[in-house]
Amino acid sequence: MKMRYNNIYIGRRVKAWRVLLFLILNSSFLILYTSCSEEELSKTSIFQDNPSSSKPFDNWLYENYVMPYNIDLKYCLEDKETDYQYSLVPATTENSIKVAHTVLYCWLQAYDEVAGIKFTRKYVPKIIQLVGSNAHNKKGTVVMGTAENGMKVTLYAVNFFKNDRSTLNTYFQIMHHEFTHILTQNKEYDTEFRTISDGSYITGDWSNKYESDALAAGFITAYAMSEYNEDFAETLSYYLIYTQAQWTSKMKLAGEEGEAIITRKLNIIRKYMQTAWDIDIDEMRDVLQRRINDVVAGKIDIDSVN
Amino acid sequence: MRKDNIYIGKSVKAWRVLLFFTFHFSLFIFMACSPHEDNVFGASPAERQQQAIEKYRALLTSKSDGWAMDFYPSDLVLGGIAYTARFVGDEVELSSEMLIDNAKGDKKKYAAGQVVKSEYHVIAGQGVMLTFDTYNPLMHYWSQPSGTNSEGLATDYEFMFVSASDDEIVLRGRKYGNLLRLYPLQESASTYINDVIQMRTTLSSIPRKRAVVDGKSVNVTVMSSHFQYTEDGADKDIPYIYTPTGIRFYQPITIAGVTESELTFDTTSHDLTSPDGRMQLPLPTPLEQFCGTVTQWHFIYGTTDAKYDMCDELREIVKTAIQRTTKENNENVDDIYIGMNKQNIEDDAQRMVIGWSTSTSMVGVWYELRYGLDMMVADEDNMVIDIRILDGGLYTNNYPQFTPMLDFIRNNTPFQMQFDNIQNPQYVKAVSVADAEKWFALKL
């Protein structure tokens, strides 16, 4: 009897556990499926778009940068968008307008003309950040422009912008230099290039070199001596912004030996641009020179955004 | 039977374990899925941030005359600089009490009170930030880098909101921590700036050396936009800013248990007094004014002995120092003085000095050499002061010939000061209290 009693008793207890477990599991899953699915999301986004700007410059940027190229030209400075090591100041709106016009005419539209707008759209960086001051580093050198992973170009010294050949050359040398990096990051260039001056690259010590030293050693600038990718970008960008007369005079300064090295590098660059990108660098130079001359001659209105 | 019992026993244990986990799992589900979760703040962080942006923007633009802006740029060495800011749409109109000589920026000069417009934005950053994000020389003068100074004057142009009300907005710089405090303007911006300039002119010409706290006299030094005092054995240095009514401190000061945030200038008594009346900075006596002079008192000497207005002993010392400077340093001594350092405070923090100026044969090349100085009233009734010579400044090691002159003062202090005119002195004779034969004269 005792045993039977025990059996019955245990059997009941087991049943009770089962019932309880059944109830808990069912109620849990019911709640999981019903209560969570009933919560409604607000139809209003918590992130509110900025109201459409009434500022003429913003509208101009939308029509001339965003629509054709999907480029965000930032003329308001956010410190977090820049390298923390630099102390910088924002650009003036007035000079930002001038730079925006000039970059459009002498850079974006120059590539449109030579390589087609599809090429420009695809490869130009999508953010151009304008900064008013130079970026001075503690070594005493000045950074005029930087490019980040092909996505963003930062142009400094906008507040010192002047509509003259020298200023425009400085700007477009930077722009072409940085753009060259983007192109070579997308399609490799002939590895023979890096062997030409192998052993002569001096990394950070370039700032102690004079231009004449660099030219004689077969580099178009002292900065080109820092490493072969910079050498590639410097050689092409200076070739594009120099007139033929300026280039010839630099080659004279370089001397026979220096000129031979630079010409060898330029030939590789010329071949690369033609085969990889279908761009004739001499045609590109003519187009760019013509456009820079137009701006310097005042043929292009770089002040108005109306 | 025994076997059965054991079997059933194990089975019950397994159920229990399962039940335990099932029960806790269900608790988790109850908690995780509760559709009526209470939000502590009433809205999501992003929504609150957006609301804060709108609230701060509305507050900034709500004052038709704009705001008085207490700005503490750089490393606080200049104290506070009074600005005004009027926010209209996306634009801000700034003006400053200071002439901005923007040589490293746009190379233009901006007069005190000149209004310059630029853009500003209230954005989400570290919290919510007010950023002056297009160039305004009045604001960005302080952060403009240059070849010789890559950090510029190390000042922010992006500021985080710390607190905001209709009466006061407090912001802190994001990178360097500069303080920006805004109060609603009660008058036009130009009136405010003019009043501040007037107050600065009135107060800065007479540094104060003494505070009276609850009737008790306490030594302080109030000059060059810094309030210095000692509390519990620790030296305190609190910058301040000039306002139309007096001065306002960077942070509250506590002297002898009394805490104050601002002092008001009494145009009748010329005292500075706290709003609760417990702290006064009385107008300094003529002797105190001499000890805290903001100009220079010059030693009198010339090409002949007769032109030296000092005792014979000091005359020989000074004459030798001048001759040796010509011979050994190849420089002429143009001035020997006691008083405010001719160097800017950014270049040399010592304010009260005994110094000499020399020039070379090259046009426009001159040098300022100086030792720090502490002049204190020793006996007001008998017009006695104590002069202590402190550390030498840059390059003083190159001029050992001046050491005997410093030793003369060290050895013969304190001095009785005999002014030509106590209210408006132009000339003073300092005579050693210990030996009346040791003396020198100074002129403004």
Side-chain angles (χ1 to χ4, degrees):
Chain A
M1 280 299 287
K2 197 178 172 188
M3 288 309 294
R4 184 171 170 77
Y5 173 79
N6 269 357
N7 264 348
I8 289 165
Y9 172 67
I10 291 163
R12 272 184 185 161
R13 278 191 67 179
V14 169
K15 262 191 180 173
W17 285 115
R18 277 182 176 163
V19 169
L20 187 57
L21 185 64
F22 175 81
L23 283 174
I24 289 171
L25 277 174
N26 271 287
S27 58
S28 300
F29 284 109
L30 270 175
I31 287 163
L32 183 67
Y33 279 98
T34 55
S35 62
C36 287
S37 61
E38 278 176 9
E39 193 177 6
E40 281 191 16
L41 292 173
S42 167
K43 287 174 183 166
T44 313
S45 169
I46 54 169
F47 299 106
Q48 294 186 3
D49 289 337
N50 289 327
S52 60
S53 174
S54 58
K55 284 181 285 185
F57 186 31
D58 288 344
N59 294 335
W60 185 90
L61 285 172
Y62 184 74
E63 283 169 21
N64 291 282
Y65 274 81
V66 177
M67 289 308 289
Y69 302 107
N70 194 25
I71 292 175
D72 181 9
L73 185 140
K74 292 171 179 281
Y75 64 96
C76 293
L77 185 61
E78 262 191 85
D79 197 60
K80 70 178 181 189
E81 290 286 339
T82 62
D83 192 330
Y84 193 77
Q85 68 167 309
Y86 299 123
S87 282
L88 304 169
V89 302
T92 63
T93 308
E94 190 189 353
N95 276 22
S96 296
I97 291 170
K98 290 179 202 286
V99 170
H101 269 292
T102 313
V103 166
L104 178 67
Y105 186 74
C106 295
W107 192 54
L108 297 170
Q109 291 177 348
Y111 279 104
D112 288 354
E113 189 178 331
V114 177
I117 194 167
K118 282 186 181 169
F119 167 86
T120 321
R121 270 187 199 140
K122 187 169 179 184
Y123 292 107
V124 288
K126 295 302 173 211
I127 300 171
I128 300 176
Q129 174 74 59
L130 303 186
V131 177
S133 59
N134 282 307
H136 293 273
N137 60 38
K138 290 192 170 83
K139 277 186 188 168
T141 54
V142 175
V143 179
M144 299 291 291
T146 50
E148 292 167 30
N149 302 323
M151 283 305 293
K152 179 177 166 186
V153 163
T154 304
L155 288 178
Y156 299 94
V158 169
N159 293 351
F160 303 110
F161 179 84
K162 282 184 193 149
N163 184 18
D164 58 30
R165 182 80 201 197
S166 160
T167 306
L168 292 181
N169 271 4
T170 306
Y171 265 96
F172 291 106
Q173 187 273 320
I174 297 162
M175 298 296 274
H176 289 293
H177 175 109
E178 301 303 347
F179 192 53
T180 304
H181 284 313
I182 292 171
L183 295 181
T184 56
Q185 281 159 12
N186 275 282
K187 291 184 186 175
E188 281 283 339
Y189 57 88
D190 192 341
T191 51
E192 189 198 332
F193 184 93
R194 65 183 70 171
T195 64
I196 298 174
S197 289
D198 194 24
S200 301
Y201 294 110
I202 53 176
T203 60
D205 292 337
W206 65 268
S207 58
N208 300 325
K209 292 284 180 186
Y210 290 106
E211 187 196 48
S212 53
D213 301 334
L215 283 165
F219 299 93
I220 193 66
T221 61
Y223 185 53
M225 303 179 87
S226 57
E227 58 107 25
Y228 54 80
N229 282 319
E230 298 303 339
D231 192 6
F232 192 98
E234 284 286 277
T235 309
L236 175 55
S237 58
Y238 274 97
Y239 185 73
L240 293 176
I241 59 131
Y242 280 153
T243 61
Q244 185 56 48
Q246 282 175 308
W247 184 263
T248 307
S249 107
K250 294 290 173 193
M251 290 308 103
K252 262 189 189 169
L253 277 174
E256 208 172 304
E257 205 175 319
E259 182 182 0
I261 298 171
I262 294 170
T263 305
R264 230 180 115 196
K265 289 174 184 171
L266 189 64
N267 286 339
I268 292 176
I269 293 168
R270 181 179 278 112
K271 191 175 160 199
Y272 166 77
M273 290 300 285
Q274 191 67 62
T275 52
W277 303 105
D278 199 19
I279 291 174
D280 175 344
I281 61 169
D282 294 304
E283 184 195 352
M284 184 71 211
R285 180 159 75 157
D286 291 343
V287 168
L288 181 67
Q289 296 290 331
R290 188 190 77 231
R291 285 174 175 269
I292 289 180
N293 289 340
D294 286 348
V295 173
V296 173
K299 289 182 185 170
I300 305 300
D301 178 6
I302 60 167
D303 298 307
S304 170
V305 286
N306 292 316
Chain B
M1 290 316 268
R2 184 171 169 75
K3 195 177 176 185
D4 270 356
N5 263 347
I6 290 164
Y7 170 70
I8 290 163
K10 270 187 181 169
S11 172
V12 169
K13 266 191 180 171
W15 279 112
R16 274 182 178 165
V17 170
L18 186 58
L19 187 63
F20 175 83
F21 281 112
T22 309
F23 179 71
H24 281 85
F25 174 65
S26 65
L27 269 182
F28 167 74
I29 288 171
F30 271 94
M31 285 190 295
C33 293
S34 170
H36 303 295
E37 186 184 335
D38 289 331
N39 197 326
V40 176
F41 296 103
S44 72
E47 283 173 314
R48 282 184 288 121
Q49 193 170 52
Q50 189 62 37
Q51 285 163 6
I53 287 174
E54 285 160 20
K55 186 181 96 178
Y56 293 145
R57 199 179 139 79
L59 182 59
L60 289 170
T61 52
S62 67
K63 308 295 176 196
S64 57
D65 280 328
W67 300 79
M69 193 161 86
D70 289 7
F71 185 27
Y72 288 88
S74 197
D75 58 358
L76 301 177
V77 73
L78 294 174
I81 311 287
Y83 275 67
T84 64
R86 185 165 169 261
F87 299 88
V88 182
D90 281 337
E91 287 191 329
V92 60
E93 299 166 0
L94 295 179
S95 72
S96 164
E97 64 161 315
M98 197 175 111
L99 181 148
I100 302 283
D101 184 358
N102 199 21
K104 288 172 181 167
D106 59 11
K107 299 182 172 51
K108 292 180 188 165
K109 286 183 182 175
Y110 295 87
Q114 186 175 341
V115 174
V116 184
K117 277 187 192 178
S118 60
E119 289 187 31
Y120 78 96
H121 287 95
V122 179
I123 58 169
Q126 289 175 347
V128 178
M129 298 196 307
L130 166 64
T131 171
F132 298 89
D133 54 5
T134 66
Y135 188 70
N136 190 312
L138 304 192
M139 173 57 62
H140 300 107
Y141 163 81
W142 302 100
S143 41
Q144 180 79 44
S146 68
T148 50
N149 188 353
S150 62
E151 272 211 318
L153 293 167
T155 302
D156 290 287
Y157 62 89
E158 292 178 342
F159 299 88
M160 298 175 288
F161 283 86
V162 176
S163 65
S165 71
D166 211 37
D167 303 323
E168 184 187 20
I169 302 174
V170 180
L171 303 111
R172 275 280 176 194
R174 191 181 71 88
K175 192 168 180 177
Y176 298 105
N178 297 111
L179 176 66
L180 202 60
R181 228 167 12 207
L182 279 66
Y183 302 92
L185 270 177
Q186 306 299 329
E187 61 268 87
S188 71
S190 60
T191 306
Y192 178 84
I193 291 294
N194 285 338
D195 289 352
V196 168
I197 291 170
Q198 183 62 47
M199 186 56 68
R200 181 186 276 273
T201 306
T202 304
L203 293 179
S204 62
S205 62
I206 306 174
R208 293 169 193 243
K209 304 277 279 183
R210 190 164 54 91
V212 179
V213 183
D214 283 344
K216 191 182 155 202
S217 190
V218 180
N219 285 334
V220 298
T221 300
V222 185
M223 64 189 295
S224 303
S225 298
H226 282 256
F227 192 109
Q228 294 164 318
Y229 62 102
T230 305
E231 180 74 3
D232 297 330
D235 290 337
K236 306 275 185 183
D237 184 341
I238 309 295
Y240 61 83
I241 191 166
Y242 294 97
T243 69
T245 55
I247 62 174
R248 185 157 48 219
F249 297 116
Y250 178 77
Q251 64 190 55
I253 58 160
T254 301
I255 304 178
V258 175
T259 302
E260 303 292 354
S261 299
E262 59 184 307
L263 300 172
T264 306
F265 182 65
D266 185 322
T267 50
T268 310
S269 67
H270 293 232
D271 290 348
L272 277 165
T273 308
S274 61
D276 61 5
R278 295 182 69 185
M279 187 183 294
Q280 284 102 33
L281 271 68
L283 180 71
T285 63
L287 202 57
E288 284 174 331
Q289 288 188 33
F290 176 83
C291 291
T293 182
V294 289
T295 183
Q296 292 89 32
W297 287 81
H298 307 277
F299 284 83
I300 303 159
Y301 60 90
T303 47
T304 61
D305 284 2
K307 290 182 178 170
Y308 281 73
D309 199 355
M310 57 191 75
C311 67
D312 294 349
E313 181 187 341
L314 185 59
R315 183 190 66 221
E316 291 309 309
I317 289 171
V318 172
K319 203 159 74 177
T320 307
I322 291 171
Q323 285 166 354
R324 281 183 59 189
T325 304
T326 306
K327 198 175 165 191
E328 294 166 21
N329 304 75
N330 209 17
E331 294 162 21
N332 294 319
V333 177
D334 300 327
D335 187 18
I336 307 172
Y337 66 93
I338 278 176
M340 180 74 96
N341 195 343
K342 288 182 183 176
Q343 292 291 106
N344 290 330
I345 194 166
E346 299 96 321
D347 301 325
D348 184 354
Q350 280 186 328
R351 293 292 75 208
M352 197 61 67
V353 296
I354 177 166
W356 57 98
S357 313
T358 70
S359 59
T360 66
S361 54
M362 288 169 69
V363 176
V365 178
W366 77 96
Y367 301 102
E368 295 293 342
L369 297 310
R370 64 271 163 195
Y371 278 74
L373 203 66
D374 197 1
M375 295 197 286
M376 297 169 75
V377 175
D379 181 351
E380 180 77 47
D381 295 339
N382 292 307
M383 303 294 280
V384 174
I385 66 165
D386 194 12
I387 303 178
R388 290 180 200 159
I389 292 170
L390 309 172
D391 295 338
L394 273 180
Y395 309 122
T396 43
N397 288 345
N398 297 338
Y399 301 82
Q401 60 270 32
F402 281 88
T403 306
M405 181 182 83
L406 305 172
D407 287 340
F408 176 88
I409 294 171
R410 280 191 191 103
N411 296 337
N412 293 297
T413 192
F415 293 93
Q416 187 190 48
M417 307 306 281
Q418 300 169 1
F419 292 98
D420 59 340
N421 177 337
I422 193 70
Q423 290 308 325
N424 184 24
Q426 300 293 312
Y427 174 93
V428 62
K429 190 171 175 184
V431 181
S432 173
V433 172
D435 181 354
E437 297 296 314
K438 315 277 183 176
W439 62 273
F440 57 91
L442 300 166
K443 66 174 182 182
L444 269 182

